[in-house]
Amino acid sequence: MRTQVAIIGGGPSGLMLSQLLNRAGVETVVLERQTRDYVLARIRAGVLEQGCVDLLRRMGCGERMEREGIIHEGTKLATVNGMFRVDFKARVGETVMVYGQTEVTHDLYAAQDAIGATIIDEAQNVALHDVTTDSPYVTWEKDGCSHRLDCLYIAGCDGFHGISRQSIPAEKRTEYERVYPFGWLGVLSRTAPAADELIYANHPRGFALASMRNPKLSRYYIQVSLSDKVEDWSDQAFWDELRRRLPAAVAESMETGPSIEKSIAPLRSFVTEPLRWGRLFLVGDAAHIVPPTGAKGLNLAASDVHYLYEALQAALTGDVGALDLYSERALKRIWGAMRFSWWMTSILHRFPGQSDFDQKIQEAELYQLETLETAQAAMARNYTGLPY
Ligand code: APR
Ligand code: PHB
């Protein structure tokens, strides 16, 4: 087989890049390790920056999002002193779209199918070859057969545990990481959301978040210890703890019900540099991981895709110099979102062993956010998305 761009990974990054390139007449092949059902069963965050919304519209994936997505003009934050709101629209004139990543991935697969894109699922033992030459290729196994794909470029969109980042020699990679000393226990329930906007709560017992997917589907999280297991938490125990951490008025009126998904996710900040090795380019979670506090995972994947799409299109029409700019350009925005996600995590969670001084600083940060329009504008700018 031969194509112009081989894309490793059929998650949001790989599908967005394939869709944009295909619509520009560029041939791609997406190689995905799992089945499509497996990919579509993943539950992930659901807040889209305007830049991500615009990109999805641009690639012809905006119709259901426009119909079913919910525009949010602000968010609520709660502390033991009460609840306050940061008005994105008033502070920076921007909004976010609440629309689940699962839905985004569904829409991307549907759009790729509609244009006859080549997506090979259950591709096992994907391996990258000769990525520093002008003739890179990819091999994999499926149904007991070995396959080879010759290409001009390879996009590593295979997530944190993929093969692409590992294909760059360790001595050529610089990795930056912070692992947080707690996790998020998340629950999805067919219940009405607790409020009309998201509520991020800083409570002495730990962080909590009340989010949503639609008027009949809610998503909640509570901070838990790294030693906790999902089986330690009955639905009732979860609802009781969530209610302890949310403002009383919200807790008293919220609807609870059976969890249809319950899982614990660790929190980590991670960046690898550079994002390029020869004709291999890293995109999305293959290149970076953010704690979910700032809802930046999918949104960062979108800006990476935007930058790489522009660079590949230029290179395929003669301007190969554009490829030299991808890594530096993407990393500027990645580190901006990395900082914001770290900041949101640091002001909203209770850190084991947190000193009294740390606690007072956290309270001062939250007080500034509550009382200073400039502090709210800075948060609103980051939350709704830094410029591409
Ligand atoms: N070969 C082929 N495919 C692979 C391999 C491999 N060796 N390793 C992983 N994959 C696939 C995974 O099965 C997954 O479908 O690559 C895909 C990577 O998708 P994501 O992990 O979702 O990463 P990305 O597409 O960059 O999307 C980032 O997804 O994980 C969330 O929070 C993250 O919202 C962010 C978004
Ligand atoms: C979610 O709805 O899953 C969600 C929303 C906002 C976040 C994290 C997760 O910051």
Side-chain angles (χ1 to χ4, degrees), residues 359-380:
Q359 181 54 34
K360 296 300 280 183
I361 291 297
Q362 203 179 67
E363 288 168 11
E365 279 278 2
L366 287 161
Y367 182 68
Q368 283 209 5
L369 199 51
E370 182 176 1
T371 57
L372 285 184
E373 280 195 9
T374 47
Q376 294 190 1
M379 180 202 169

Side-chain angles (χ1 to χ4, degrees), residues 20 23 53-62 306 309-310:
L20 278 171
R23 284 168 61 100
V53 169
D54 294 344
L55 192 72
L56 289 166
R57 282 190 188 120
R58 212 169 94 203
M59 65 177 79
C61 292
H306 167 77
Y309 163 69
E310 287 196 334

Side-chain angles (χ1 to χ4, degrees), residues 81-98:
N81 304 319
M83 187 154 74
F84 64 94
R85 182 170 184 266
V86 175
D87 187 332
F88 306 144
K89 189 92 173 164
R91 296 285 79 77
V92 295
E94 296 280 354
T95 59
V96 292
M97 170 83 82
V98 172

Side-chain angles (χ1 to χ4, degrees), residues 43-47 98 184 198 200 207 209-213 219-221 291-296 344 383:
I43 303 292
R44 297 273 165 67
V47 175
V98 172
W184 277 19
L198 272 61
Y200 290 87
F207 168 81
L209 170 60
S211 183
M212 63 195 75
R213 293 289 177 272
R219 181 67 166 165
Y220 295 102
Y221 300 94
T293 329
K296 290 300 168 199
M344 281 279 276
Y383 194 95

Side-chain angles (χ1 to χ4, degrees), residues 237-314:
F238 175 84
W239 293 122
D240 291 345
E241 186 59 32
L242 178 68
R243 280 200 172 105
R244 291 187 193 100
R245 301 186 188 184
L246 291 176
V250 174
E252 283 152 20
S253 61
M254 66 182 284
E255 181 190 356
T256 61
S259 60
I260 57 174
E261 194 272 346
K262 184 158 57 177
S263 55
I264 293 181
L267 273 70
R268 155 201 329 268
S269 297
F270 174 87
V271 183
T272 189
E273 292 187 2
L275 305 186
R276 176 187 188 181
W277 177 242
R279 288 181 175 244
L280 169 62
F281 299 87
L282 301 181
V283 183
D285 275 17
H288 44 71
I289 293 289
V290 282
T293 329
K296 290 300 168 199
L298 176 58
N299 292 300
L300 264 187
S303 49
D304 291 351
V305 164
H306 167 77
Y307 297 136
L308 184 57
Y309 163 69
E310 287 196 334
L312 285 171
Q313 231 203 343

Side-chain angles (χ1 to χ4, degrees), residues 7-16 31-35 38-39 42-45 101 105 109 120 122-127 140 156-164 283-290 292 295-302 304-305:
I7 297 174
I8 318 300
S13 293
L15 296 171
M16 286 193 286
L31 294 169
E32 165 56 47
R33 175 164 65 182
Q34 304 292 353
T35 63
Y38 184 96
V39 174
R42 290 182 183 131
I43 303 292
R44 297 273 165 67
Q101 177 176 313
T105 310
Y109 268 110
I120 297 170
E122 299 184 273
Q124 302 305 312
N125 303 318
V126 169
W140 71 96
C157 303
D158 47 351
F160 186 65
H161 301 290
I163 187 65
S164 296
V283 183
D285 275 17
H288 44 71
I289 293 289
V290 282
K296 290 300 168 199
L298 176 58
N299 292 300
L300 264 187
D304 291 351
V305 164

Side-chain angles (χ1 to χ4, degrees), residues 188-193 211-219 260:
L188 194 64
S189 62
R190 294 195 202 289
T191 53
S211 183
M212 63 195 75
R213 293 289 177 272
N214 63 50
K216 296 195 175 104
L217 193 60
S218 297
R219 181 67 166 165
I260 57 174

